[in-house]
Structures are given as C-alpha cells and as structure tokens.
Amino acid sequence: MTRVLSCIQPTGAVHLGNLLGALRNWVDGQHDKDVFHGIVDLHALTVTTEPDVVGPATTELAAILFAIGLDPEVATVFVQSHVPEHSQLGWIMECTVSFGELSRMTQFKDKSARREADFVSAGLFTYPALQAADIVLYDANEVPVGDDQRQHIEITRDIAIRFNNRFGDTLVVPEAVTPKAGARVMDLQDPTSKMSKSGETDAGCVFLLDPPEVIDKKFRRAVTDSENEVRYDTVAKPGVSNLLDILSASSGTDRDTLAGQYSQYGPLKADTAAAVIELLQPVQARHQELMADPGELARLLAVGADRARSVASATLERVHRAIGLLPR
Ligand code: ATP
Ligand code: LTN
C-alpha cells in the first residue's frame, strides 16, 4: 500500500484555514493509503527560545488531530521527538547534503532575513536535512505539500538519491504530491491575504477553539464591499467570495447555489458563522474531552510512537548497515 507522510509543526493555534485547506484532507484520506502524521516538535525548536512552549502546543495539536477525526487505529499519529531516529538519521542526512544546496533554500533565505537582528539558529539552516530524515525514515512514497514545501521535497529526493549512489540502494525516493485542492481561506479583515496565525490581528482569523460567540463576532465584522450584491467573484468581491467559500466548505452546498440564496450580506455572514460553529462544535467537544483526560491522549500518542518507531528503527538500522558503521 502506498505510504504517505504529512507533518505539521506545533507552532501557534490551529485555524479554520488549516482545517479546511489541509487537515480535513488528512482525515478524508486516512482509509485510502497507509498514512503517517507527524507533529514535528523538533522542527519548531528552530525558532523556539523559551521553556514550556512547544510541549503544550504539541498536546493541543495532538488533541485537535484526534478531535477532527483522525482514527488512531488507522492513521499513525506521532510526535517527532518521541521517535529518536529522526534526530539520529537527521545527522546522517546533514552529512549527505552540501552547504551550497542548503544555502539555496528559499525558506531559509526568507526566514533568516525576516529574523534579521534575531537569533538565526544553525537548525534553521539544516532544517531540510531533518525534514529529509522525517520522510525517508518511513519509506514514504508520497508527501502531500503545498508549493512552499516543494523545494524541500526536491532536496529530500536529491539527498536520498545521493545516499543510494554512495552506499547502495537503501532509501525510498519520495514524490511530492499536490493535495486534493482544499478551500483556500482568506483573512476576514483582509480578504486578499490568506487566513494565517501570523496575520495582522486575530479579528480576521478564526481559531478552531474560538468560542461560538467569538466566531459569530468575527464573521459579523468580516470585511465585504460597498455594493449590495451576493455573487462569487474573487477579484471584484474577495470578502463575499471568501464567505461563500467558507459556507460552502462547511455546509457541503456548492457556492453558486449558495450565492443565489442571498441578497444581503448580513444573513450571509450570520449563516456562515452558524455553519462554522456547527462544524466546530463536535471538534471542540471532543478536544475538551481529550484535554481533560491526559492519560488517554498520552496513550494514543504512545500507540502512534510505537508504530512509527517500528518502521523508523528498521530504516535507521538499514542505513547504518549500508554505511558500514561498526555494529555494537
Ligand atoms: P503561518 O501563519 O506561520 O504562515 P499558517 O497559519 O499559514 O502559518 P502553516 O502552519 O503554514 O499555517 O500551514 C499548515 C497547513 O495549513 C499547510 O498545509 C497550509 O497549506 C494550510 N493552510 C494554512 N493557511 C491556510 C489557509 N488560509 N487556507 C487554506 N490552507 C491553509
Ligand atoms: N517543513 C514543513 C513541515 C515538515 C514536513 C516534514 C512536511 C517537517 N517535516 C516532512 C512534510 C514532510 C512545514 O514547514 N510546513
């Protein structure tokens, strides 16, 4: 069966864009392929300088992943630092990639430039080697990623091919696959930018754990335009189109049908808020249950870590043997 790996960093609160654009696909696809989902806490360390930030964010993200419907019996959901083989293979991948290759990564160039006066860790630079380890450890055939991550999958392929050339056929060379197009959710205050946790203000970003009244307020204050016509047109009417997209993704009705049902913005905003609240209500309830039962959450993550480790340790063993490291 095709093995698929997707990973997400535990940085910041999960929002509606993450759910409708990415995480929902994870849930829908879990029965079709052999899926591994990593919460990559070690990656978050590239930009973390304070204690007790990454752990709670990891717990919250794990609870959200199970709450949205990832079935621990079907999908392997694990925390990267629970599988020490990631760090171990990460070093070997660092020795298989060149300084020049890492220097060409646009994400490093962007992020290090943005951090300017801030501390730029060596980890931010070598991050793609750890990402390559994440992928090849699981013999992943497919890695669904957005455009921003394609370069990292390309470099993973280059590293795997180079390793195989040096030490013999050992690593599966993965493919980047384009995920089934999820909704692209735009910021409610600035509907020409995508909804993002690092947006200008929280008012334009609906977090999965926002209480219903906050969600309602955010939608009622959503920026639209000065006309009074409900029509799907992302160029002329980005705000209204975004509401139609969100309502469509939350209710399952197509956006043109929806557009025909409204003649005013007020009811469109109210119904979109109601649909999102209804979509999130069971997720929030299940999340709360899991957060109230840390033992159960830990158990679920231990199941994932055991399954992940059984695959990862076999790969690391194969790598050590291929290189010819002295067995202990
Ligand atoms: P940041 O604010 O730091 O850029 P983010 O909120 O954009 O982060 P990421 O952690 O970069 O979120 O993304 C996690 C996943 O969610 C990715 O697969 C990404 O494509 C998807 N995603 C993020 N924002 C949106 C959005 N507004 N609409 C649809 N998908 C999104
Ligand atoms: N770099 C990715 C997160 C990530 C990842 C991975 C994605 C780390 N390891 C392995 C796919 C496969 C990001 O910043 N979104």
Side-chain angles (χ1 to χ4, degrees):
M1 202 190 308
T2 307
R3 171 79 52 77
V4 181
L5 176 85
S6 326
C7 294
I8 182 164
Q9 293 196 50
T11 44
V14 181
H15 56 74
L16 192 63
N18 300 138
L19 178 67
L20 299 180
L23 300 180
R24 211 147 77 152
N25 278 338
W26 292 17
V27 178
D28 294 345
Q30 63 183 331
H31 294 285
D32 306 337
K33 301 193 172 158
D34 184 15
V35 297
F36 279 63
H37 295 301
I39 301 176
V40 287
D41 54 348
L42 299 176
H43 278 275
L45 297 186
T46 55
V47 293
T48 300
T49 52
E50 281 171 36
D52 297 328
V53 174
V54 178
T58 302
T59 304
E60 181 169 314
L61 183 54
I64 285 182
L65 294 183
F66 294 122
I68 62 173
L70 279 178
D71 179 350
E73 299 297 323
V74 176
T76 301
V77 179
F78 66 95
V79 176
Q80 187 185 30
S81 66
H82 293 178
V83 183
E85 287 80 2
H86 286 258
S87 312
Q88 293 173 279
L89 187 61
W91 172 254
I92 297 175
M93 297 295 97
E94 282 183 40
C95 297
T96 316
V97 68
S98 72
F99 183 84
E101 284 170 311
L102 291 176
S103 307
R104 288 194 286 278
M105 293 295 110
T106 47
Q107 181 174 294
F108 171 72
K109 289 194 266 188
D110 289 351
K111 286 201 177 173
S112 54
R114 259 189 281 145
R115 295 178 72 76
E116 239 183 280
D118 244 339
F119 182 78
V120 176
S121 67
L124 200 60
F125 184 67
T126 60
Y127 176 120
L130 183 59
Q131 182 162 350
D134 300 338
I135 297 169
V136 299
L137 266 181
Y138 298 98
D139 296 328
N141 311 98
E142 297 182 355
V143 187
V145 285
D147 284 345
D148 64 320
Q149 290 297 316
R150 288 207 158 245
Q151 204 184 22
H152 287 160
I153 310 306
E154 268 315 305
I155 202 172
T156 299
R157 290 170 57 84
D158 294 342
I159 294 173
I161 291 168
R162 183 174 298 128
F163 187 96
N164 289 343
N165 286 338
R166 284 183 182 168
F167 301 113
D169 222 355
T170 313
L171 302 175
V172 173
V173 181
E175 303 271 349
V177 297
T178 308
K180 197 172 74 194
R184 185 148 194 264
V185 181
M186 309 308 277
D187 190 290
L188 298 182
Q189 289 299 314
D190 171 14
T192 56
S193 311
K194 71 167 199 157
M195 185 178 283
S196 152
K197 59 183 171 275
S198 39
E200 291 274 295
T201 64
D202 278 358
C205 185
V206 176
F207 295 103
L208 292 205
L209 301 180
D210 275 346
E213 57 282 7
V214 172
I215 298 177
D216 194 58
K217 195 149 112 194
K218 286 180 177 175
F219 277 104
R220 282 179 197 276
R221 293 189 179 164
V223 168
T224 46
D225 52 58
S226 54
E227 297 176 1
N228 203 358
E229 187 197 358
V230 177
R231 157 169 71 83
Y232 191 83
D233 178 342
T234 51
V235 179
K237 303 176 80 70
V240 170
S241 304
N242 189 35
L243 293 172
L244 289 169
D245 271 332
I246 295 173
L247 180 55
S248 168
S250 308
S251 66
T253 309
D254 73 87
R255 63 192 184 211
D256 295 319
T257 308
L258 289 169
Q261 293 172 356
Y262 294 92
S263 53
Q264 286 178 314
Y265 295 165
L268 173 62
K269 290 180 179 180
D271 286 1
T272 307
V276 170
I277 290 167
E278 192 179 316
L279 177 76
L280 296 184
Q281 196 275 330
V283 174
Q284 296 186 349
R286 178 80 186 118
H287 177 268
Q288 216 168 27
E289 266 171 41
L290 281 165
M291 294 300 282
D293 189 354
E296 173 63 4
L297 192 58
R299 188 188 68 79
L300 295 179
L301 289 176
V303 168
D306 286 345
R307 257 200 327 252
R309 270 204 98 170
S310 69
V311 178
S313 61
T315 309
L316 186 67
E317 173 76 32
R318 216 162 68 223
V319 164
H320 280 204
R321 242 184 294 120
I323 299 172
L325 292 176
L326 183 65
R328 52 167 270 171

